[in-house]
């Protein structure tokens, strides 16, 4: 992140400075350097506003998660998916709270619930950090979780469907199969990239302390240890047929989501709250006290991530205001148009990992344009890109900022590789169905 942050800032400064020498004053129009300065100040303020806006959402969902944790739901879900999770995360004890938190985060992403996914993901990072022998440095499990999170499978991109409907699309949910195809492909690439990059000596050299056994070295009957020496009891998973039945049920939800997603989506968040509270009551959890305790943690985390958000959003704002992004789009658009990524959609592909709000604005402007529209090839492609990729730099700042991780190792490389794969799979899916 040190290199990426420095490069973005320096390139933006040099590009704006170069444009300043050839700038012809126009009434009311700021010079390139003035625009750069304004973008820096505005982005810093926007970062703080974003973090403050997260306080309520974080408090709500971490409060609900505290109820689930005290009621034992996270352990139940983790044991249910144990066969898959212990293979993906061999350094994390099967019954550790991190397992349940990661599963809830990925489940929220699957349903397109970004507001719920972020608090669950932050909690998962906090739990993973308890297994970290080198505080401030990302572990292999943290890197893999973040890579999967930035590319996780999405069944129901509710926000994009709503925007397409508002733009007058004849079939707003037509992007569901292309979004699913793109996210499955990008998630598979994210897992492979995180595993492969983690074996590169330069990335492994960044870890001075022990993170636990290297993948493949721990026997399945070993009882893992936490970083402070506390041992966890591995109660094992449920019988294989139960886990298989649960996975089959999840797969069976795919066609139901396609058919009834728009009807069900408004009920999901209220249903989550009622379901968690009722579960807590049935498990004899003092739900109010547990909710308040979890909400306190949400408030503290939201404040802690402000410096990280300021750094990332200021760098991204400078890159956009300097004009470097526009030049990159014009240069690459000539070539990407030949492989199914038109110049009109290229800004979306480039900006999505950098700025969620910026990408959303580009999506809205493209599908609202009468010359393009939501049901053209470009309209389908940009809708798929918005629904199937994540704001990588934002996720890095928020998740690692919550646990004060500064050395991210191969997390950024794996996440950007997954982003590129997501764009490629989105192009393939849209070209096959709508091209």
């Amino acid at each position: 992140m040190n290199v990426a942050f420095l490069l973005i800032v320096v390139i933006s400064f040099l590009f704006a400075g170069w444009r300043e020498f050839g700038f012809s004053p126009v009434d009311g129009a700021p010079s390139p350097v003035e625009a750069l300065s304004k973008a820096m100040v505005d982005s810093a303020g926007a970062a703080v506003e974003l973090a403050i806006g997260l306080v309520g959402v974080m408090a709500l969902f971490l409060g609900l998660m505290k109820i689930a944790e005290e009621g034992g739901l996270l352990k139940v879900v983790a044991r249910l998916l144990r066969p898959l999770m212990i293979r993906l995360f061999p350094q994390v004890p099967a019954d550790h709270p991190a397992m349940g938190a990661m599963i809830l985060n990925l489940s929220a992403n699957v349903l397109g619930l970004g507001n719920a996914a972020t608090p669950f993901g932050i909690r998962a990072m906090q739990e993973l950090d308890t297994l970290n022998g080198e505080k401030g440095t990302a572990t292999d499990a943290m890197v893999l979780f973040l890579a999967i999170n930035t590319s996780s499978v999405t069944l129901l991109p509710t926000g994009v469907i709503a925007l397409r409907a508002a733009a007058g699309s004849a079939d707003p949910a037509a992007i569901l199969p292309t979004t699913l195809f793109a996210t499955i492909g990008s998630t598979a690439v994210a897992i492979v990239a995180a595993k492969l990059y983690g074996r590169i000596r330069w990335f492994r050299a960044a870890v001075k302390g022990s993170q636990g056994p290297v993948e493949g070295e721990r026997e399945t009957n070993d009882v893992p240890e936490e970083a402070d020496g506390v041992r966890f009891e591995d109660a094992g998973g449920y019988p294989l047929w139960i886990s298989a039945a649960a996975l089959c049920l999840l797969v069976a939800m795919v066609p139901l989501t396609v058919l009834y997603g728009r009807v069900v989506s408004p009920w999901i968040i209220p249903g989550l709250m009622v379901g968690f509270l009722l579960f807590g009551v049935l498990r004899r959890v003092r739900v109010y006290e547990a909710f308040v305790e979890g909400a306190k943690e949400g408030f503290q985390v939201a404040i802690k991530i402000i410096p990280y958000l300021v750094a990332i959003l200021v760098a991204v704002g400078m890159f956009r205001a300097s004009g470097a992004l526009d030049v990159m789009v014009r240069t690459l658009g000539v070539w990407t148009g030949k492989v199914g990524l038109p110049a009109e959609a290229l800004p979306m592909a480039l900006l999505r990992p950098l700025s969620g709000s910026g990408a959303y604005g580009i999506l809205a402007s493209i599908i609202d344009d009468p010359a393009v529209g939501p049901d053209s090839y470009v309209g389908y492609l940009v809708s798929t890109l918005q629904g199937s990729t994540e704001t990588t730099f934002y996720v890095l700042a928020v998740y690692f900022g919550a646990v004060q991780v500064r050395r991210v190792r191969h997390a950024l490389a794996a996440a950007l590789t997954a982003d590129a794969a997501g764009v490629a799979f989105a192009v393939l899916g849209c070209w096959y169905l709508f091209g």
Side-chain angles (χ1 to χ4, degrees):
M1 282 298 291
N2 287 322
V3 175
F5 177 72
L6 180 62
L7 281 177
I8 292 174
V9 172
V10 172
I11 290 173
S12 301
F13 175 77
L14 293 177
F15 200 87
W18 175 73
R19 290 178 59 213
E20 182 78 13
F21 288 109
F23 175 72
S24 298
V26 180
D27 291 341
S31 70
V33 174
E34 289 174 342
L36 187 70
S37 300
K38 185 176 185 301
M40 293 175 64
V41 175
D42 290 346
S43 298
V48 176
E49 292 177 3
L50 179 60
I52 293 176
L54 281 174
V55 170
V57 176
M58 293 284 297
L60 171 62
F61 285 103
L62 286 186
L64 294 177
M65 193 169 180
K66 189 68 174 180
I67 295 173
E69 179 182 344
E70 293 194 3
L73 177 62
L74 301 187
K75 289 186 177 181
V76 171
V77 177
R79 290 180 62 194
L80 192 64
L81 297 181
R82 183 179 187 274
L84 173 63
M85 297 300 286
I86 62 174
R87 286 164 174 78
L88 285 177
F89 299 94
Q91 292 98 345
V92 181
D95 286 347
H96 194 273
M99 283 291 192
M102 287 190 290
I103 291 169
L104 286 178
N105 166 263
L106 298 178
S107 300
N109 274 323
V110 163
L111 296 174
L113 304 177
N115 287 340
T118 299
F120 291 154
I122 288 176
R123 183 55 182 271
M125 277 292 182
Q126 291 174 324
E127 295 294 348
L128 288 173
D129 197 47
T130 65
L131 303 172
N132 190 356
E134 177 84 11
K135 299 299 183 183
T137 298
T139 64
D140 286 343
M142 287 179 173
V143 170
L144 178 58
F145 172 65
L146 187 136
I148 294 175
N149 197 275
T150 60
S151 63
S152 60
V153 176
T154 302
L155 297 181
L156 191 62
T158 52
V160 179
I161 292 174
L163 188 61
R164 287 175 54 80
S169 172
D171 188 3
I175 62 165
L176 286 174
T178 56
T179 299
L180 183 61
F181 176 72
T183 53
I184 289 176
S186 63
T187 301
V189 170
I191 294 171
V192 173
K195 296 286 187 180
L196 289 180
Y197 295 166
R199 297 179 182 275
I200 297 175
R201 180 175 300 178
W202 187 75
F203 288 126
R204 296 207 64 83
V207 185
K208 299 177 182 178
S210 173
Q211 303 184 72
V214 177
E215 180 180 354
E217 292 183 358
R218 176 167 63 85
E219 298 293 335
T220 55
N221 59 351
D222 285 348
V223 180
E225 293 190 9
E226 194 175 358
D228 59 5
V230 178
R231 298 180 69 85
F232 293 91
E233 179 183 356
D234 186 355
Y238 290 114
L240 182 60
W241 69 269
I242 295 180
S243 297
L247 292 175
C248 289
L249 179 62
L250 180 62
V251 172
M253 291 176 62
V254 174
L256 294 177
T257 301
V258 173
L259 292 174
Y260 305 109
R262 292 181 62 193
V263 177
V264 174
S265 59
W267 294 83
I268 294 177
I269 291 181
L272 280 176
M273 183 163 188
V274 172
F276 274 69
L277 292 177
L278 291 179
F279 173 81
V281 171
L282 291 176
R283 300 288 290 185
R284 297 182 180 180
V285 175
R286 299 179 68 85
V287 292
Y288 179 76
E289 286 85 348
F291 180 89
V292 171
E293 188 64 28
K296 290 179 181 178
E297 297 177 11
F299 178 83
Q300 295 167 357
V301 170
I303 300 302
K304 188 184 298 182
I305 63 178
I306 288 178
Y308 297 86
L309 281 178
V310 170
I312 292 299
L313 294 187
V314 166
V316 171
M318 292 178 66
F319 191 66
R320 293 178 62 190
S322 68
L325 179 63
D326 294 335
V327 172
M328 184 182 298
V329 168
R330 289 196 299 268
T331 303
L332 297 178
V334 177
W335 304 98
T336 59
K338 299 178 181 180
V339 293
L341 183 58
E344 298 91 338
L346 185 57
M348 185 75 184
L350 294 176
L351 193 58
R352 187 69 177 99
L354 298 174
S355 171
S357 58
Y360 193 83
I362 290 177
L363 170 63
S365 65
I366 290 176
I367 64 177
D368 284 335
D369 185 351
V372 181
D375 295 332
S376 64
Y377 172 77
V378 173
Y380 285 121
L381 179 57
V382 294
S383 299
T384 300
L385 290 173
Q386 176 71 19
S388 62
T389 54
E390 187 53 89
T391 313
T392 298
F393 285 87
Y394 168 80
V395 173
L396 276 166
V398 171
Y399 285 18
F400 283 147
V403 290
Q404 308 295 294
V405 166
R406 296 174 178 82
R407 295 179 293 278
V408 302
R409 301 176 60 223
H410 54 296
L412 180 59
L416 291 179
T417 301
D419 288 337
V423 172
F425 281 107
V427 169
L428 287 174
C430 291
W431 176 80
Y432 179 77
L433 291 180
F434 312 117

